[in-house]
């Protein structure tokens, strides 16, 4: 059950709406289910609707007028709270809704239980799944009601109501989510032929610009050169940038002026000071000895689960936010057929990038720098770089979901689980062609058999599973090519086995393929270095870093197809 609370200054207008037909004739049988004293007039059950409605407004406004004569009436004297049940909930009776309304007005301070001077209020039901509470905020002693943090107190009470009445337990947030579009914004989008409101489209555009910018100045320049986006930059008297706001071309108000949105209104982490914090001192200078950008970004992302398990919360939050920027950038680099799923993954994961934990952004600069290198390396033919990154991305999102779950960030956990669905679909599509290309280059049978013996020796618990996997020919190919480049295939397998267990992989063969492909791009050790490695090899391998299985908010296991 969710609550929506607002204030106003027109009691008559609100009552007229509550007892009217609704904006889309959705109000059926509007009637009173509860009131401050149980005797308020009900226009919905009266033979003289207009007269009873005026009488109800007068009763609600009585104390407002009294306080007004003393100069003590608040300007926004109307308190409006709508309560809506979940679609999965049973239909509540009028008496049940009445009891819930009394609990909410008591919890929020509108009419505390046992207080004879509580505010006057009514609860109107005009549909099966919700009610509206209308109150005037002047108490019997003519003081204004103390209802600070009423949304939080109402939400807390509704969580108890859900348990007491056996209703669906809503996944609650921590007030870090981006502002949702209003009903008017959604309807305007549909009228203009768009699936998403202007606010949501602008938010995606801004996040994409952040994901590829290497400095605050470049970020604003990218926005200025984005089609159909207007940018207004505000400055301090000193000439320093104070902030910015954006508008979509063609999105205007009744007067024909652009509808502007500041960065902080699009999302809490899109204000200019927070963007400047994230984009300061990024190292994106190209170096000839740096690895392939996709390999570099994959290696940086692969370290995130370990950081989430070991680092402090502020550092972990920074790495999750930085990884969100990677997902924002991927649709710009991927083939067209993969972009819709990647865009959905980025949109959904955006909710998982923020929490009440303040991120220590400077701890994730290396990851951000690695991500920025991708903009100079769009997906090449074959797409192995993208498939390799997505394979690790599934592991990162799984770890992020687990991290959020341990801290009871319910909305973020749900967002991460939904992201996995989109990434799993995209990975399967992206991996198909490069795996097939590798399989076509598989080595001779005797070489394959030699690699199979190495596999049984290094990872005996997974060997048969890998050998029966359709991706085994691709793995045999990368082992052979690594060997040709001067690497020892058995040592590569040992290195990977020490890094992390393969228990959470849907396809151990594919995981090994991408990791060996990436490691084999490094310069092979010299004969002297290999001899030193042999002398220092420790037979007892250290315990691998493990990522605990993700569980749903209710505690059940995550779907097998969404675990890496």
């Amino acid at each position: 059950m969710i609550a929506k609370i607002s204030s106003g200054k027109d009691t008559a207008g609100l009552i007229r709406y509550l007892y009217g037909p609704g904006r889309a004739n959705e109000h059926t049988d509007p009637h009173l289910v509860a009131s401050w004293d149980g005797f308020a007039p009900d226009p919905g059950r009266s033979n003289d609707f207009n007269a009873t409605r005026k009488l109800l407004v007068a009763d609600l406004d009585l104390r407002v007028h009294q306080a007004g004569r003393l100069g003590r009436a608040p300007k926004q004297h109307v308190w409006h709270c709508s309560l809506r049940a979940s679609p999965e909930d049973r239909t509540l009776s009028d008496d049940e809704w009445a009891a819930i309304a009394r609990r909410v007005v008591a919890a929020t301070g509108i009419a505390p239980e046992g207080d004879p001077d509580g505010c006057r209020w009514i609860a109107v039901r005009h549909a099966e799944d919700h009610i509206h509470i209308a109150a005037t905020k002047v108490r019997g002693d003519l003081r204004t009601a103390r209802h600070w943090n009423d949304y939080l107190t109402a939400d807390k009470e509704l969580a108890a109501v859900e348990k007491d009445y056996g209703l669906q337990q809503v996944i609650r947030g921590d007030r870090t989510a981006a502002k949702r579009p209003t009903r008017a914004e959604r309807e305007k989008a549909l009228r203009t032929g768009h699936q998403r409101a202007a606010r949501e489209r602008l938010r995606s555009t801004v996040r994409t610009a952040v994901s590829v910018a290497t400095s605050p100045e470049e970020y604003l320049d990218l926005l200025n050169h984005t089609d159909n986006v207007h940018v207004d930059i505000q400055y301090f008297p000193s000439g320093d940038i104070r902030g910015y706001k954006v508008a979509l071309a063609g999105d205007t108000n009744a007067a024909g002026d652009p509808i502007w949105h500041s960065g902080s209104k699009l999302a809490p982490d899109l204000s200019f000071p927070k963007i400047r914090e994230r984009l300061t001192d990024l190292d994106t200078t190209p170096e000839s000895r740096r690895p392939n950008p996709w390999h570099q970004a994959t290696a940086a992302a692969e370290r995130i689960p370990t950081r989430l398990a070991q680092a402090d919360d502020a550092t972990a939050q920074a790495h999750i936010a930085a990884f969100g920027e990677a997902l924002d950038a991927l649709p710009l680099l991927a083939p067209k057929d993969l972009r819709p799923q990647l865009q959905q993954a980025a949109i959904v994961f955006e909710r998982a990038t923020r929490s009440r934990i303040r991120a220590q952004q400077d701890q994730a600069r290396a990851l951000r720098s690695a991500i920025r290198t991708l903009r100079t390396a769009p997906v090449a033919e074959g797409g192995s770089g993208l498939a390799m990154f997505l394979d690790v991305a599934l592991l990162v999102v799984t770890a992020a979901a687990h991290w959020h779950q341990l801290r009871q960030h319910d909305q973020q956990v749900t967002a991460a689980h939904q992201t996995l669905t989109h990434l799993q679909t995209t990975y399967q599509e992206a991996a198909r062609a490069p795996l097939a290309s590798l399989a076509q280059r598989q080595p001779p049978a005797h070489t394959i058999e030699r690699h199979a013996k190495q596999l049984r020796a290094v990872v005996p618990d997974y060997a048969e599973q890998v050998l029966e996997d359709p991706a085994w020919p691709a793995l045999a190919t990368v082992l052979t090519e690594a060997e040709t480049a001067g690497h020892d295939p058995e040592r590569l397998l040992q290195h990977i086995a020490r890094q992390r267990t393969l228990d959470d992989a849907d396809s151990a063969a594919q995981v090994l393929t991408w990791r060996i492909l990436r490691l084999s791009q490094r310069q092979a050790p010299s004969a002297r270095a290999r001899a030193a490695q042999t002398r220092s090899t420790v037979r007892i391998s250290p315990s691998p870093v493990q990522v605990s299985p993700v569980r749903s908010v209710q505690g059940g296991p995550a779907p097998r197809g969404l675990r890496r």
Side-chain angles (χ1 to χ4, degrees), residues 317-449:
Q317 178 64 63
H319 279 84
I320 292 175
F323 181 75
E325 294 172 17
L327 294 186
D328 290 328
L330 285 184
L332 295 176
L333 308 170
K336 289 184 178 180
D337 59 323
L338 300 181
R339 290 176 187 173
Q341 285 287 352
L342 287 174
Q343 287 170 343
Q344 282 300 114
I347 290 170
V348 174
F349 192 72
E350 183 254 354
R351 181 65 192 97
T353 61
R354 290 187 303 275
S355 71
R356 301 295 290 181
I357 297 171
R358 180 174 176 79
Q360 191 174 348
Q361 301 292 3
D362 61 328
Q363 296 297 311
R365 282 179 182 154
L367 172 60
R368 285 194 167 91
S369 297
I371 292 169
R372 265 63 181 183
T373 63
L374 293 179
R375 67 179 188 171
T376 62
V379 178
E381 185 176 355
S384 61
L386 176 62
M388 185 188 312
F389 186 86
L390 290 175
D391 176 70
V392 170
L394 289 164
L395 173 66
V396 173
V397 176
T398 299
H402 181 63
W403 185 85
H404 280 303
Q405 183 179 8
L406 291 177
R407 288 150 186 82
Q408 298 181 336
H409 300 163
D410 293 345
Q411 287 189 353
Q412 289 87 335
V413 172
T414 300
H417 285 167
Q418 293 171 346
T419 304
L420 283 170
T421 302
H422 297 294
L423 288 182
Q424 185 78 25
T425 301
T426 310
Y427 167 75
Q428 291 171 353
E429 289 295 321
R432 185 176 293 114
L435 286 174
S437 177
L438 289 170
Q440 289 175 355
R441 307 200 303 268
Q442 62 179 306
H446 65 88
T447 304
I448 293 178
E449 182 57 32

Side-chain angles (χ1 to χ4, degrees), residues 101-413:
R102 293 188 188 96
R103 291 176 63 164
V104 170
V105 295
T108 55
I110 293 296
E113 187 175 0
D115 184 355
D117 288 328
C119 299
R120 294 192 167 194
W121 61 274
I122 60 170
V124 178
R125 182 180 189 178
H126 50 215
E128 287 189 345
D129 63 346
H130 70 280
I131 63 170
H132 292 260
I133 303 174
T136 47
K137 296 190 285 188
V138 179
R139 293 167 41 83
D141 53 15
L142 301 188
R143 291 186 294 118
T144 302
R146 301 178 64 178
H147 60 97
W148 298 309
N149 288 325
D150 49 9
Y151 174 78
L152 292 179
T153 53
D155 197 54
K156 184 177 180 180
E157 185 63 30
L158 290 178
V161 165
E162 291 165 354
K163 293 180 180 179
D164 294 344
Y165 286 78
L167 305 178
Q168 180 77 17
Q169 295 186 27
V170 174
I171 298 174
R172 291 183 154 76
D174 53 10
R175 304 185 77 181
T176 62
K179 184 178 179 180
R180 294 180 180 180
T182 64
R183 178 174 178 174
E185 289 175 328
R186 292 195 300 270
E187 291 177 349
K188 182 178 181 180
L190 293 176
R191 288 197 306 270
T192 55
H194 295 96
Q195 294 297 318
R196 303 170 66 211
R199 179 193 304 277
E200 296 172 306
R201 286 180 281 145
L202 274 173
R203 183 160 58 242
S204 294
T205 299
V206 168
R207 288 184 63 85
T208 300
V210 173
S211 72
V212 296
T214 59
S215 68
E217 295 73 23
E218 185 183 17
Y219 160 69
L220 293 174
D221 185 62
L222 287 172
L223 282 183
N224 270 316
H225 289 86
T226 301
D227 293 339
N228 300 320
V229 174
H230 301 305
V231 183
D232 181 21
I233 303 174
Q234 295 91 42
Y235 297 89
F236 288 111
S238 63
D240 295 330
I241 297 174
R242 179 168 63 91
Y244 72 101
K245 55 185 179 180
V246 290
L248 276 181
D251 184 34
T252 59
N253 57 22
D257 299 323
I259 299 177
W260 295 98
H261 302 266
S262 66
S264 60
K265 295 298 183 182
L266 290 176
D269 58 344
L270 294 182
S271 67
F272 187 74
K274 291 189 176 181
I275 289 176
R276 181 170 52 203
E277 180 184 6
R278 291 151 64 185
L279 299 185
T280 300
D281 298 332
L282 293 184
D283 179 16
T284 56
T285 304
E287 297 180 10
S288 58
R289 301 186 72 178
R290 278 188 173 175
N292 178 297
W294 284 99
H295 295 182
Q296 183 184 359
T298 300
E302 195 170 33
R303 291 191 285 270
I304 295 177
T306 302
R307 293 185 181 275
L308 298 188
Q310 299 176 351
D312 62 279
D313 282 359
T315 299
Q317 178 64 63
H319 279 84
I320 292 175
F323 181 75
E325 294 172 17
L327 294 186
D328 290 328
L330 285 184
L332 295 176
L333 308 170
K336 289 184 178 180
D337 59 323
L338 300 181
R339 290 176 187 173
Q341 285 287 352
L342 287 174
Q343 287 170 343
Q344 282 300 114
I347 290 170
V348 174
F349 192 72
E350 183 254 354
R351 181 65 192 97
T353 61
R354 290 187 303 275
S355 71
R356 301 295 290 181
I357 297 171
R358 180 174 176 79
Q360 191 174 348
Q361 301 292 3
D362 61 328
Q363 296 297 311
R365 282 179 182 154
L367 172 60
R368 285 194 167 91
S369 297
I371 292 169
R372 265 63 181 183
T373 63
L374 293 179
R375 67 179 188 171
T376 62
V379 178
E381 185 176 355
S384 61
L386 176 62
M388 185 188 312
F389 186 86
L390 290 175
D391 176 70
V392 170
L394 289 164
L395 173 66
V396 173
V397 176
T398 299
H402 181 63
W403 185 85
H404 280 303
Q405 183 179 8
L406 291 177
R407 288 150 186 82
Q408 298 181 336
H409 300 163
D410 293 345
Q411 287 189 353
Q412 289 87 335
V413 172

